[in-house]
Amino acid sequence: MSDVRRFAVFGGVYNNFLSLEATLNDARALGCEAIYCLGDMGGFGPQPDRVFPLLRDVPDLFVMQGNYDHSIGNRLEDCACGYTDPRDNYYAQISYDYTLANTADAHKDWLRDLPTEFRHTWAGQRVLMAHGSPRQVNEFLWESMCPDAFLEHLLKSYEADVLFVTHTGIPWKRELEGGRQVINVGAIGRPANNGRTSVDYALVEVDAQGVRVDFREVEYDHEALAALMREEELPEPFVETILTGWWTTCLEVMPARERAAGVY
């Protein structure tokens, strides 16, 4: 019997029930004993209620509240995503209004009551999972804007050796001194602005040597999702992102290095 334990960690479902199903199937096929969703079930994609049968009342699946879930669950006026640019907020509001109008009340209540963090001890290391960051649910932890000293301070302040977050939509990881790590798991609801139509999640392996994290690429039927988005009359720039792998909206919040990696 293998001494390696496997876990899956992902975030940013964004109403993409097709990528969610593909991610869950991949994680289970790899023998993950537990799967963690770090929040933001809604936004961007079509037919929000189709994600909840895959997430609710599943024994091996643990779901956290993101800023989007807090807003939808409490029937607020916007997603509290943390955008400041008018163009970012314009498209974010379209997504939010659509998701709020098309999410059943029973699912809104479930989102309202979700936990806001997870803590574990894996291989003697203190593991903390948050949405944006431990200090603010909608904080963007971009790779280019997170020097090692800042990440060390964050881990020390919140008593963690390994930190998992999401919210930015672009995956990255950083190994620090003493085996400490910070991992942004990205999002499975839309591509990572990399020209690929696939999505990514974090595959975690734990054994006596410690905690190892790699990103796992998942393909799904993105063309079917795009067709549903058009049926729902969601903005064509959203559809373009799904079909091309390049972000067309919510770009102004990105730092220069991350934005330069895209085409817009």
Side-chain angles (χ1 to χ4, degrees):
M1 179 179 293
S2 173
D3 292 329
V4 177
R5 304 173 66 194
R6 284 184 168 178
F7 305 91
V9 189
F10 66 86
V13 178
Y14 302 158
N15 296 336
N16 192 339
F17 66 94
L18 291 171
S19 66
L20 172 61
E21 183 175 41
T23 298
L24 295 176
N25 288 342
D26 190 74
R28 290 178 177 129
L30 292 172
C32 292
E33 65 181 77
I35 302 171
Y36 298 89
C37 173
L38 304 190
D40 280 0
M41 265 50 80
F44 197 77
Q47 302 176 353
D49 276 353
R50 297 184 72 170
V51 306
F52 296 104
L54 300 170
L55 294 172
R56 297 190 60 174
D57 303 318
V58 181
D60 65 345
L61 182 55
F62 302 89
V63 184
M64 176 188 302
Q65 183 187 82
N67 57 280
Y68 218 98
D69 314 308
H70 178 267
S71 290
I72 293 290
N74 288 283
R75 285 77 163 173
L76 303 183
E77 293 184 355
D78 60 54
C79 65
C81 293
Y83 300 132
T84 57
D85 183 85
R87 187 172 187 272
D88 285 350
N89 281 317
Y90 170 75
Y91 282 109
Q93 196 65 47
I94 291 174
S95 291
Y96 184 77
D97 291 344
Y98 170 83
T99 301
L100 185 65
N102 289 279
T103 301
D105 283 342
H107 298 321
K108 290 174 183 172
D109 293 343
W110 180 73
L111 292 171
R112 181 194 60 211
D113 297 333
L114 289 173
T116 56
E117 69 172 31
F118 297 128
R119 286 187 179 268
H120 294 287
T121 301
W122 291 343
Q125 293 186 298
R126 300 166 299 174
V127 176
L128 171 60
M129 300 181 192
H131 181 71
S133 86
R135 63 184 187 178
Q136 186 172 320
V137 66
N138 64 354
E139 182 174 12
F140 293 95
L141 295 188
W142 302 101
E143 183 176 16
S144 68
M145 301 297 288
C146 290
D148 287 359
F150 164 70
L151 296 178
E152 294 275 13
H153 173 73
L154 203 60
L155 292 173
K156 181 178 179 181
S157 297
Y158 290 90
E159 300 180 336
D161 302 304
V162 182
L163 172 64
F164 293 90
V165 298
T166 179
H167 193 56
T168 67
I170 297 180
W172 58 272
K173 62 179 181 176
R174 185 84 52 81
E175 295 183 2
L176 303 165
E177 291 185 3
R180 291 183 294 277
Q181 301 177 70
V182 176
I183 304 98
N184 190 317
V185 302
I188 64 165
R190 66 172 178 170
N193 197 34
N194 54 15
R196 301 197 310 266
T197 57
S198 56
V199 296
D200 303 279
Y201 74 94
L203 178 65
V204 186
E205 293 189 334
V206 180
D207 59 19
Q209 280 68 53
V211 179
R212 296 180 301 280
V213 182
D214 289 300
F215 293 115
R216 179 87 174 167
E217 184 177 358
V218 178
E219 302 282 353
Y220 72 99
D221 193 346
H222 64 283
E223 292 184 351
L225 187 82
L228 281 173
M229 293 170 75
R230 283 179 171 143
E231 286 180 18
E232 295 293 293
E233 299 182 345
L234 291 168
E236 192 62 25
F238 294 4
V239 178
E240 182 182 345
T241 292
I242 293 297
L243 291 176
T244 67
W246 298 113
W247 289 12
T248 58
T249 61
C250 300
L251 290 163
E252 306 307 322
V253 73
M254 296 175 70
R257 195 180 85 183
E258 280 79 0
R259 185 159 184 178
V263 298
Y264 294 108

